[in-house]
């Protein structure tokens, strides 16, 4: 930048901050910006500076903002140099420098990294990707809708005085309670009054005959899930077994108490 170029830059600054300009100012700015040419990027740097602040611009401000403008163009262009196997290191540096300068000047169009690397997927891969997520007509439909499931679940017994379903392991992935172990929910909290629905279903499949499809104990129902009638049948059998056990306890005569020796201050008394 010559003193005349610096005087033009200072005149542009004076249009914003009303500074006075002298020959010494032009010479000082020309020396500070001796490797910076007077071009549109330099003029834009002055305008960008005063567009965000009221402080007087300095040569350092012009240099910094101009470099940022040019770096933004390089980042948008993503220049890729493929190189030449026969070129020397000096030739590579010179050509790469020229490529970056062209990008900074705006001579290279903005493009994505994929476009710069010419790394677009093959047509066959794009055709396969286009089919991802399409509905498949032959997929099996659910046995019941979520709304019907919630209604049926609400009518099934979940809380019981005893938990006969504990004889089987819980199939829930987040629980996996072993036989005779209580089910657990989040944070390892034990369910003391109930079990997971899938554990109750597994207990019904293992020990009850399905009144609806006739599946024997240990055999799955003809539906993907146990029929509600089979689960209710298990509940009735469990309640009857509990009632029989309580009836036996109530009908058994009480065991006579055994007289035991008492130790007192006066000796032994029977």
């Amino acid at each position: 930048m010559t003193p005349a170029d610096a005087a033009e830059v200072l005149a542009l600054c004076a249009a914003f901050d009303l500074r006075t300009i002298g020959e010494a100012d032009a010479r000082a700015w020309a020396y500070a910006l001796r490797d910076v040419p007077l071009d549109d990027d330099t003029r834009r740097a002055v305008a960008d500076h005063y567009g965000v602040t009221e402080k007087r611009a300095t040569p350092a401000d012009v240099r910094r903002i101009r470099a940022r403008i040019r770096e933004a163009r390089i980042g948008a262009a993503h220049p890729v140099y493929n190189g030449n196997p026969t070129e020397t290191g000096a030739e590579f540096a010179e050509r790469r420098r020229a490529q970056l300068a062209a990008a900074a000047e705006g001579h290279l169009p903005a493009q994505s990294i994929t476009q710069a690397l010419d790394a677009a997927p093959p047509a066959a891969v794009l055709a396969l990707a286009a089919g991802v997520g399409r509905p498949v007509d032959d997929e099996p439909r659910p046995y019941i809708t979520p709304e019907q499931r919630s209604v049926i679940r609400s009518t099934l017994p979940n809380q019981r005085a005893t938990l006969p379903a504990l004889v089987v392991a819980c199939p829930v992935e987040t629980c996996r309670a072993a036989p005779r172990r209580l089910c657990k929910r989040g944070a390892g909290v034990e369910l003391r009054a109930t079990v997971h629905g899938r554990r109750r279903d597994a207990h019904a499949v293992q020990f009850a005959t399905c009144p609806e499809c006739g599946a024997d104990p240990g055999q799955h129902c003809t539906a993907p899930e146990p029929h509600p009638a089979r689960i209710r049948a298990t509940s009735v059998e469990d309640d009857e077994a509990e009632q029989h056990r309580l009836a036996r306890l109530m009908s058994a005569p009480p065991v006579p108490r055994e007289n035991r020796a008492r130790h007192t201050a006066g000796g032994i008394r029977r």
Side-chain angles (χ1 to χ4, degrees):
M1 183 176 294
T2 65
D5 296 336
E8 182 178 341
V9 174
L10 284 169
L12 183 59
C13 293
F16 292 101
D17 57 24
L18 304 179
R19 70 176 70 191
T20 57
I21 305 172
E23 182 180 354
D25 298 323
R27 290 184 179 277
W29 274 63
Y31 188 74
L33 301 174
R34 56 188 177 277
D35 57 338
V36 176
L38 176 61
D39 54 11
D40 291 339
D41 290 340
T42 303
R43 298 184 181 91
R44 179 181 169 185
V46 175
D48 288 354
H49 172 80
Y50 286 102
V52 296
T53 182
E54 298 179 354
K55 296 182 179 180
R56 284 192 172 189
T58 64
D61 295 329
V62 175
R63 182 186 297 274
R64 183 183 65 257
I65 298 174
R66 183 179 185 275
R68 185 180 63 199
I69 294 172
R70 297 172 69 84
E71 289 173 358
R73 292 199 192 103
I74 297 175
H78 295 105
V80 176
Y81 183 67
N82 295 325
N84 189 340
T86 62
E87 67 183 353
T88 63
E91 292 174 341
F92 164 77
E94 181 180 358
R95 293 169 181 171
R96 177 59 173 169
R97 193 179 298 112
Q99 184 187 40
L100 294 177
E105 294 289 343
H107 300 321
L108 297 182
Q111 57 184 349
S112 63
I113 296 178
T114 302
Q115 293 172 337
L117 296 176
D118 193 18
V125 176
L126 294 176
L128 292 175
V132 175
R134 293 184 303 175
V136 181
D137 297 333
D138 58 351
E139 287 186 354
R141 296 184 177 181
Y143 170 58
I144 55 176
T145 63
E147 293 77 11
Q148 293 173 333
R149 182 193 304 274
S150 62
V151 173
I152 294 174
R153 293 281 188 194
S154 63
T155 61
L156 297 175
N158 283 327
Q159 297 186 356
R160 307 169 183 171
T162 59
L163 302 176
L166 294 181
V167 298
V168 298
C170 183
V172 177
E173 293 291 340
T174 57
C175 179
R176 293 295 186 183
R180 296 187 299 276
R181 296 289 184 181
L182 295 175
C183 288
K184 295 182 179 180
R185 54 185 174 87
V189 179
E190 293 183 342
L191 305 178
R192 298 187 176 277
T194 184
V195 295
H196 287 118
R198 290 177 56 189
R199 189 175 194 177
R200 180 202 54 211
D201 295 350
H203 173 258
V205 171
Q206 184 171 348
F207 293 98
T209 301
C210 182
E212 186 169 342
C213 65
D216 295 329
Q219 294 181 352
H220 291 281
C221 291
T222 56
E225 296 182 359
H227 289 104
R230 189 174 194 177
I231 300 175
R232 293 192 182 92
T234 309
S235 175
V236 172
E237 293 176 0
D238 296 336
D239 293 342
E240 291 179 352
E242 181 68 12
Q243 293 177 3
H244 291 322
R245 188 181 70 85
L246 293 176
R248 288 196 302 270
L249 291 176
M250 295 297 295
S251 61
V255 179
R257 295 184 59 182
E258 180 181 357
N259 293 328
R260 298 183 180 180
R262 294 183 179 180
H263 295 274
T264 62
I268 301 176
R269 183 178 62 184
R270 294 185 179 275

